[in-house]
Amino acid sequence: ADLKVQRNAKYSLSDAPNSYEDITTYNNFYEFGLDKSDPAENSSRFKPAPWTVAVTGEAEHTGKFALEDLLKGHAIEERVYRLRCVEAWSMVIPWAGVPLADVLKRFKPTSKAKYVAFKTVLRPEEMPGQRSRSLDWPYVEGLRIDEAMHPLSLLAVGLYGKTLPNQNGAPLRLVTPWKYGFKGIKSIVEIRFTEKEPPTTWNISAPHEYGFYANVNPNVDHPRWSQARERKIGAGVFGSRVPTLMFNGYEQEVASLYKGMDLKKYY
Amino acid sequence: MPSSAVIRRVIKPALFVACALPLLSLVFAAFGIGGASLGANPVERIQDTFGQWGLRFLCITLAVTPVRDWFNMPWLVQLRRMLGLYAFFYVLMHFLTWLILDQGFYWSGILKDIGERPFITIGFSALVLLVPLAVTSTNKMMRRLGRRWKKLHRLIYLICLLAVWHYYWQVKSDVTEPLIYLAIVLVLLGWRAWKARPKPAATAVMEES
């Protein structure tokens, strides 16, 4: 369905976005299979409505909320962000969503809320990938509270002015453009405020390859491949790789979050 | 058993065309023939297709001898050279796709990858080891090398293991497929080891007499 969206120019790139076709047929969403084409092919049975999100943990207002209530009162913005996958390819995507901070603040997190943990829905009957043990289901992710409150962090509900297709994480997903794509947890059913750093799925699967922070960093390679350059989806057969930018090009906005941290250690 | 004329005029040409189908599928997709497409990441698609078929043809080549023995089809060996050369072709195309289309001749990155990234080092080693086998695949070289030819071509055992290892290390989380290839290669190699097992002394004497 079409959404009423207003472009947020301050947080949008001037780069031309990838085609709707590329964005919706080339996906990593292991809940629907391991191949990039699997999510588009295997997600038609998934039911993104009605949808409820549980808000739990260190906050004054917790409980279960219908998605409509979670979004009520928030204007949906369009933001054209870079997306850099940990596999060294990238896209430009016109997301539609609301700033995560605006939603989180409504629950009044307490002083104990140092982190925010997210969980994906567990529905093996609708998500064939969850029937195999390729990862530890359900998928979980997390952010430090200051990362979650950063104005770039977006709770996306759509792309290209339409509601999110199932393969892109319907009906609600996280977008943190300065981090590798796997931080952008999809089909969120729980938001939990925690005092301790929450576990994250890829870190559980391969701790030496995927850290909690997962900030895009051309100077810290994945143990098995270089992160210095990336392939831009849509550049074609002869489009060569381009240099990857620190924090995926959002260095000015987010570098202060990591002041004094050794990014080789906290990868 | 098919006559040598049938092998030469029918089976070999048919096999030649069949083995070229993965390549043709890429050509069709590249030009959008029949609605086919290389998808959002064409370089990855090309590289993966070549790599996958390189590994498959290595396994098929390795299977020729066991299948010949299991099904009593001695003429199969006449097809082995073509299968092996196709394996080399697909592996080489996999490498060239990486070198030219993926890396764009970015030499500092390429050399670093070959030297420092174990899965690329292993894959590259497998390719390098395949070169002498391809070069010595002619009748002339077989005659010239004599018994050493067979010894040299046993390198295929190592190459197959390296190729599976290369695939295994490249996979992000689900290693089921690489493990299936490993099982296939181990069966094909294990059967050879079993066939070559030392025979009990009594039988050996009988066989010699």
Side-chain angles (χ1 to χ4, degrees):
Chain A
D2 288 337
L3 294 168
K4 218 180 100 191
V5 295
Q6 186 87 46
R7 167 84 61 103
N8 181 328
K10 188 181 170 197
Y11 291 116
S12 285
L13 304 173
S14 50
D15 309 35
N18 279 90
S19 69
Y20 186 81
E21 159 104 13
D22 281 356
I23 296 170
T24 57
T25 59
Y26 191 78
N27 308 98
N28 273 325
F29 195 174
Y30 280 17
E31 281 80 343
F32 293 113
L34 303 178
D35 287 343
K36 301 281 189 294
S37 55
D38 285 343
E41 287 165 16
N42 300 338
S43 63
S44 56
R45 287 183 56 213
F46 182 74
K47 289 192 276 296
W51 197 263
T52 309
V53 178
V55 178
T56 59
E58 311 289 350
E60 288 175 29
H61 300 309
T62 55
K64 288 191 167 178
F65 301 88
L67 181 62
E68 299 73 41
D69 296 333
L70 199 77
L71 299 172
K72 200 180 278 175
H74 297 282
I76 296 177
E77 300 178 9
E78 178 170 82
R79 297 190 179 193
V80 183
Y81 279 166
R82 288 187 193 90
L83 179 135
R84 170 62 157 79
C85 178
V86 74
E87 297 165 349
W89 54 263
S90 65
M91 284 193 192
V92 174
I93 303 177
W95 298 110
V98 299
L100 176 62
D102 294 354
V103 175
L104 294 186
K105 279 174 192 161
R106 276 175 39 211
F107 303 111
K108 297 203 187 322
T110 68
S111 60
K112 277 183 165 177
K114 302 279 198 290
Y115 295 89
V116 188
F118 302 88
K119 192 192 279 180
T120 295
V121 72
L122 182 67
R123 287 188 196 164
E125 65 285 358
E126 291 176 31
M127 301 174 125
Q130 288 182 338
R131 286 176 231 149
S132 87
R133 292 197 299 174
S134 49
L135 287 172
D136 207 1
W137 312 116
Y139 197 94
V140 289
E141 257 304 339
L143 297 170
R144 224 168 50 192
I145 190 90
D146 56 341
E147 297 178 317
M149 293 296 183
H150 192 279
L152 280 172
S153 294
L154 192 74
L155 267 181
V157 294
L159 60 86
Y160 264 112
K162 295 183 175 66
T163 48
L164 275 180
N166 288 345
Q167 62 266 37
N168 293 83
L172 184 72
R173 65 166 291 167
L174 177 66
V175 181
T176 45
W178 71 97
K179 293 175 177 288
Y180 291 120
F182 69 86
K183 290 297 282 185
I185 183 169
K186 304 178 180 93
S187 308
I188 297 168
V189 287
E190 188 182 340
I191 299 175
R192 175 188 285 272
F193 296 95
T194 68
E195 196 170 8
K196 293 212 174 92
E197 185 184 288
T200 57
T201 293
W202 277 102
N203 181 250
I204 296 167
S205 166
H208 58 291
E209 299 191 347
Y210 310 99
F212 174 79
Y213 286 93
N215 291 317
V216 176
N217 188 339
N219 309 312
V220 177
D221 287 339
H222 184 282
R224 287 182 284 154
W225 57 82
S226 168
Q227 295 291 23
R229 299 188 310 144
E230 68 201 45
R231 169 161 302 285
K232 290 182 88 155
I233 300 300
V237 174
F238 299 105
S240 57
R241 287 173 181 262
V242 297
T244 287
L245 303 171
M246 189 63 205
F247 294 115
N248 201 23
Y250 298 94
E251 186 170 14
Q252 256 194 333
E253 290 91 336
V254 302
S256 61
L257 293 171
Y258 311 102
K259 228 167 133 185
M261 280 174 70
D262 179 358
L263 297 178
K264 282 200 161 70
K265 191 177 167 206
Y266 298 101
Y267 54 92
Chain B
M1 177 172 163
S3 72
S4 64
V6 169
I7 291 173
R8 206 173 56 242
R9 296 214 192 106
V10 181
I11 296 180
K12 279 193 175 175
L15 184 68
F16 183 86
V17 172
C19 293
L21 289 179
L23 173 69
L24 285 176
S25 78
L26 283 180
V27 173
F28 276 42
F31 292 99
I33 300 167
S37 128
L38 291 172
N41 194 344
V43 175
E44 180 186 63
R45 172 74 62 82
I46 296 168
Q47 197 178 333
D48 286 357
T49 305
F50 282 137
Q52 206 164 43
W53 283 99
L55 181 55
R56 285 174 188 166
F57 275 104
L58 283 172
C59 292
I60 293 170
T61 310
L62 197 63
V64 168
T65 304
V67 170
R68 172 198 68 181
D69 294 356
W70 295 337
F71 301 100
N72 191 24
M73 298 161 84
W75 56 275
L76 271 187
V77 175
Q78 297 179 52
L79 307 178
R80 192 167 55 188
R81 168 166 38 198
M82 189 191 293
L83 292 167
L85 283 172
Y86 260 112
F88 175 67
F89 168 75
Y90 281 110
V91 170
L92 183 68
M93 293 302 283
H94 173 63
F95 171 74
L96 291 177
T97 306
W98 174 71
L99 193 78
I100 299 169
L101 296 183
D102 185 68
Q103 295 293 314
F105 295 116
Y106 183 74
W107 291 108
S108 63
I110 289 166
L111 294 175
K112 202 169 167 234
D113 275 358
I114 292 178
E116 291 178 17
R117 315 226 174 262
F119 92 91
I120 297 180
T121 315
I122 286 171
F124 185 70
S125 312
L127 169 71
V128 168
L129 292 175
L130 269 172
V131 172
L133 305 197
V135 169
T136 59
S137 64
T138 60
N139 288 338
K140 209 171 154 190
M141 287 305 282
M142 278 180 89
R143 272 196 304 274
R144 189 189 290 179
L145 289 172
R147 292 176 67 179
R148 285 172 300 164
W149 187 91
K150 209 165 182 180
K151 263 191 183 159
L152 175 68
H153 280 251
R154 288 201 179 118
L155 270 177
I156 189 80
Y157 308 159
L158 175 63
I159 291 166
C160 286
L161 289 170
L162 290 173
V164 173
W165 195 359
H166 168 73
Y167 183 32
Y168 179 87
W169 254 350
Q170 176 267 335
V171 163
K172 239 169 92 194
S173 74
D174 190 329
V175 293
T176 313
E177 265 192 59
L179 289 180
I180 292 171
Y181 280 104
L182 179 65
I184 292 170
V185 169
L186 288 181
V187 165
L188 297 174
L189 292 182
W191 179 82
R192 286 174 163 85
W194 184 79
K195 194 173 75 162
R197 75 196 182 284
K199 310 275 191 323
T203 346
V205 171
M206 293 246 311
E207 275 173 6
E208 270 165 36
S209 63

